[in-house]
Amino acid sequence: MAKSSATIAGVKVDTIRLLLRAIIFISIAGAAVSSRLFSVIRFESIIHEFDPWFNFRATKYLVTHSFYEFLNWFDDRTWYPLGRVTGGTLYPGLMVTSGAIWHALRNWFALPIDIRNICVMLAPAFSGLTAIFTYLFTKEMKDSNAGLLAAIFMGIAPGYISRSVAGSYDNEAIAITLLMATFYFWIKALKLGSILYGTITALFYFYMVSAWGGYVFITNLIPLHVFVLILMGRYTWKVYSAYTTWYALGTLASMQIPFVGFLPIRSNDHMAAFGVFGLVQLVAFGDYVRSNINTKQFKTFLTVSVVAVVLMGILGLVALTAAGLIAPWTGRFYSLWDTNYAKIHIPIIASVSEHQPTAWPAFFFDTSMLIWLFPAGLYLCFQELKDEHVFVIIYGVLCSYFAGVMVRLMLTLTPVICVSAAIALSKLFDVYLNVVELFTEEVEVEEKSSKKTTKQRGFPLFSLLAKAVVLLSFGFYLFYFVLHCTWVTSNAYSSPSVVLASRNPDGSQQIIDDYREAYYWLRMNTPEDAKVMAWWDYGYQIGGMADRTTLVDNNTWNNTHIATVGKAMCSSEEKAYEILRQHDVDYVLVIFGGLLGYSGDDMNKFLWMVRISEGIWPEEVSERSFFSQRGEYKVDGEASPTMKDSLMYKMSYYRFNELFGGDGTDRVRGQTIPAKNAPELSTLEEAFTSQNWIVRIYKVKDLDNVGRDLKQAAAFESGKKSAKKRGVKRPNLDIRLDY
Amino acid sequence: MRLLPWLVAAASALETLVVYDSNYHDDIESALPAQAFGDAELTYLDYSESEFKLLPETYDSVVLLPKAKAKNTAKTWSAESLMAYTNQGGNLLVIGAADGVYPEGVRSYLNEIGIYPSPKKYHVYDYFSDDKSALPHFTDANLVTPAIVSHVDVADYHGGAALLANNPLVVPLVRCSETSFCAQEDTPMSEDTTWTYGAQGFAAAALQALNNARTAWVGDISLVTEELVSWTFQQRNVLKLQFVNHINAAEPRDVNPQLYRVTNDAIYTVGISELKKGEWVPYESEDAVQMSFKMLDPYVRLNMSGLGPVASVEGSDDLDAYAYSVQFTIPDHHGMFTFELDHKVPGYSYLQDKRVVTVRHLANDEYQRSWEITNSWMYVGSSALVVAAWLLFVFNYIYVGLPNKAKKTQ
């Protein structure tokens, strides 16, 4: 290519190139942002799903209070009556980011924007930044052409969009940006051996730690990279200065986040980084020794010291773990290696759908054609195999495994797929787009062969044709990729899940807004300090939308408390009433999809409640007793007595038959609910049922005024006891226990 | 809704309704023991009167007398109506008789709260009694709850007895002797015909509902004493929680703060009054008044000490309440705690109060600083030493080490 001296129409080529690049970047950012706006256009500017509601609430707290108060926030409206040390148990990066944007816009630009809109639009805005950092990262791998391809892939790949559509105000929204930024600066630091870049890496690492629990991935990936480099004999002073700078500063910085605290020196998840830090010191020392003594002495020195160090390291780790000084691996970590671990030992982890193993079509669904370009890219990396390529290979291999184990880790795999697919594709384009070379080569061939034969024609038709076919087909693939991404984004990832959309028989759209209807009812009709019990999925939403105290929420830090709620849901009314009284519960909220055919309802999650509470009270709750005699999960006439007695069953199907005037049909489970022996409630009374019956709210009754049990009181109210009796019969009473 | 008992008690005059059956009582006014009802203003009403709605606003107490026949009563006296009356705070005194019956509604109301009186013609007999008639003689030895009835002396008791269910709100008043039984005259003892055996039977019982509405039942009018009537009509043993305060001992100006911090000292104070002759006077409890500070389980449960009479209204000279107080250290555990007062003494109004407060954790700047902890001095010192050594090394490397190296290379 021509150097800077070349001009086109009097303008330097470099200037044009810069201009083009800027335009491309703006277009990429535009595409990335606009494809994430489906949800806002279809529905409205609303916070999505579950976790974002908590982040939104925390952000509101931050902008209405001081940072000091936010840091020491004790939230008395969740986990009643335990409360949550929220300031110390969240990753504040996301809230601080949007808080800072809010303050900056208001104070510097005099633009008072509603904090909700900032929260809704944060993820799309950051996806534009992610594209830029992906560009920079890939540029370090190959060149800027690959970088641009990677940027556009990253901009529209559904795997990343799934967590960053407008309204998906989650930690991952900014974490992926920070992940790519940290990796970019790490590669930069490694290449240059620069303490400055090492420091910047540490800074971005700190930002990442403050934003997402997934920072542990970086904490392990960078040491692994260094470790592999050392094993490959590629240790240089650059590795030393980059790694030690990052590790020392990054670790100290990460310990400033209250939630992380002393984990970097106590938890096993962080031990790899610490170990490699030690190893690098040893290797540096060895390097120094080698430069001072002869080879033979050095070999003995090496063998002895390697064996000693390995032994000491392993023994030390085991001893410290046994002594309890290092926290053992967490359950989520084990479930990364053994996909059945969670199912057996920690049902609460297994119950989360995003912790399930990935189904293989999901890979194609989330990354389309990139998934098969990905190995090609890795292969090309192997061919070149510079230090930074090793990084991409390790990243790719590790993440492919993790993404296969847990659906949510698709998210961390997507960037490396984009990068290596871009490398592969740009390599392909390098070869096939280069028509000029074809001609120049041709000339050479002609010169050589002209003496032998005159048959050779001047125009390389077949080569051109071959190139054209390849280019056209890849052009089509790219076109198809864009179509696929847009389709997936608009159809699968743009539903707020708070508001549901369905189609009427005539094709017109119908919005099902039961959740907000019910939460609004709670907000307007219940006392401000009312305690609402619901399964933990809805905790954040109740806190965010209804502003009522909840017993458990999506921050599943206390398994026992969740199991208590599960036990209340799956035991009989009398037993449940004791739990409800003990926890001062005023309202119980259940999600029921039987009328509409909404499958994500509580009856379908019910077995998880049973399993989780069985984990804590195995002698009181048994999963088997909730199945019918033939071992099926039945809610119809064949349902087991325990099932029919359970509070959840009663709350779900209470007065369900009245809708049908006879046997009712549960459209989710496709079973008939018999009108005979319809569930009756004596300790709860129906307070609210939403339009499509998705949300049902029950009020917990007070103790009976004259000291009867509530079942008797309810029977008296309904007039069943007042049946006329002839004569007076002596009652059969228990012996009175007098004090 | 539960009416507060003192609202009922503080109503100007005691409006009492006496419901009777003209077929059973010829002269109702002489049938009632006048001295027992004291200054209560009695209004008489026949059971057959159907145009009447039972409301605590019109009559705060109702006396229900026995009837000749169980059937044909107005709907006003159905169990549902009586239950509603109790739930709204009205007081009931149900009087039985061996030769009369309870109207159906009244009986099923009594059964509902756990009192099962014997039917018509059932008597309590006690052949071991000193009396020749084999009718029992109730004395103070038969009393169970002296807070309500402290004295009784009824010879030749003519009424029946009742079985009591395990309702904790029902307190027995007069227990039959162990040698007694309740049956019809001249019937052999059997499972079906004998209503109660021995101490299983009670001649009088009372219920104080959670809203402090009172219901008393006696098997015969001879057991109706002034003590019992004044208790039932909320003239005695009526307590009122005048105020509940909790403060952080460190910041006494802030009354009832919503937020505490772990290991704060809290002071919890309550003022309790008792109604005496229509006036609120300080109530000095014989039993300990207990409070607890709980989160699911009580973390603290303490007896409060009496401080003496105080005025329940700030700035008033009228010392109408007795203050109880306790100071304790909030447990080192954060969460939503409840200051709970649950004072339930049989025969007295229930006192209940719950205040949920938040106990927060230590803020990030409320811990000791490192230099205040002597243990940390070694670590702080050694890290300072490392920093100093590093600076020294750098200085040495750059400035001191260099000439030597230069010399060597030369």
Side-chain angles (χ1 to χ4, degrees), chain A residues 180-287:
Chain A
M180 290 319 286
T182 315
F183 287 162
Y184 164 64
F185 285 113
W186 162 247
I187 295 298
K188 206 74 184 160
L190 189 72
K191 272 188 169 177
L192 301 175
S194 151
I195 288 181
L196 173 69
Y197 275 108
T199 311
I200 297 177
T201 315
L203 278 180
F204 271 92
Y205 175 69
F206 167 66
Y207 195 0
M208 174 77 183
V209 174
S210 78
W212 193 35
Y215 76 88
V216 179
F217 177 59
I218 303 183
T219 321
N220 285 302
L221 193 64
I222 290 181
L224 188 63
H225 184 207
V226 170
F227 186 64
V228 171
L229 287 183
I230 290 173
L231 285 188
M232 290 168 79
R234 293 195 178 184
Y235 170 81
T236 60
W237 62 270
K238 289 179 179 175
V239 174
Y240 183 82
S241 53
Y243 186 74
T244 46
T245 313
W246 167 75
Y247 180 74
L249 290 177
T251 305
L252 278 179
S254 68
M255 286 166 78
Q256 306 309 311
I257 305 296
F259 193 23
V260 176
F262 280 96
L263 279 184
I265 53 167
R266 295 204 57 192
S267 119
N268 263 334
D269 301 350
H270 298 73
M271 280 302 125
F274 184 56
V276 169
F277 181 69
L279 186 70
V280 167
Q281 310 304 326
L282 292 177
V283 171
F285 180 67
D287 212 38

Side-chain angles (χ1 to χ4, degrees), chain B residues 8 14 30 89 113 126 167 175 183 196 304:
Chain B
V8 177
L14 284 169
S30 61
I113 64 176
D126 186 356
N167 184 347
R175 188 194 289 273
T196 69
M304 298 204 273

Side-chain angles (χ1 to χ4, degrees), chain A residues 36-48:
Chain A
R36 285 165 168 81
L37 294 184
F38 276 114
S39 56
V40 172
I41 295 163
R42 293 255 176 81
F43 299 94
E44 59 187 283
S45 173
I46 182 186
I47 304 287
H48 288 193

Side-chain angles (χ1 to χ4, degrees), chain A residues 68 72 76 81 706 730 736, chain B residues 165 167 170 195 336 358 364-365:
Chain A
Y68 175 81
N72 292 308
D76 55 3
V706 293
R730 185 175 188 271
R736 189 175 156 89
Chain B
N167 184 347
V170 169
W195 195 260
M336 271 77 89
T358 307
N364 66 323
D365 56 353

Side-chain angles (χ1 to χ4, degrees), chain B residues 21-133:
Chain B
D21 179 13
S22 46
N23 295 330
Y24 182 80
H25 288 287
D26 303 330
D27 179 13
I28 176 64
E29 298 201 27
S30 61
L32 281 180
Q35 78 283 354
F37 287 87
D39 54 354
E41 196 173 305
L42 303 180
T43 315
Y44 299 96
L45 189 80
D46 199 278
Y47 271 119
S48 55
E49 198 73 53
S50 58
E51 296 298 310
F52 177 76
K53 188 134 176 61
L54 190 56
L55 285 173
E57 289 89 71
T58 38
Y59 294 101
D60 45 38
S61 308
V62 172
V63 180
L64 296 167
L65 289 166
K67 233 171 143 258
K69 277 180 179 171
K71 281 191 277 179
N72 305 328
T73 6
K75 201 156 191 204
T76 315
W77 312 111
S78 70
E80 288 79 9
S81 157
L82 291 172
M83 190 63 83
Y85 182 66
T86 303
N87 288 343
Q88 291 168 56
N91 307 305
L92 290 169
L93 175 59
V94 183
I95 300 170
D99 55 349
V101 296
Y102 301 94
E104 263 170 14
V106 175
R107 173 176 284 280
S108 57
Y109 166 79
L110 286 177
N111 292 354
E112 198 60 27
I113 64 176
I115 301 173
Y116 294 86
S118 53
K120 196 177 176 179
K121 288 179 187 160
Y122 274 60
H123 287 268
V124 180
Y125 296 106
D126 186 356
Y127 291 109
F128 292 84
S129 127
D130 45 359
D131 202 279
K132 285 276 162 30
S133 60

Side-chain angles (χ1 to χ4, degrees), chain B residues 135-146:
Chain B
L135 291 173
H137 183 190
F138 290 132
T139 60
D140 290 358
N142 296 77
L143 294 178
V144 187
T145 314

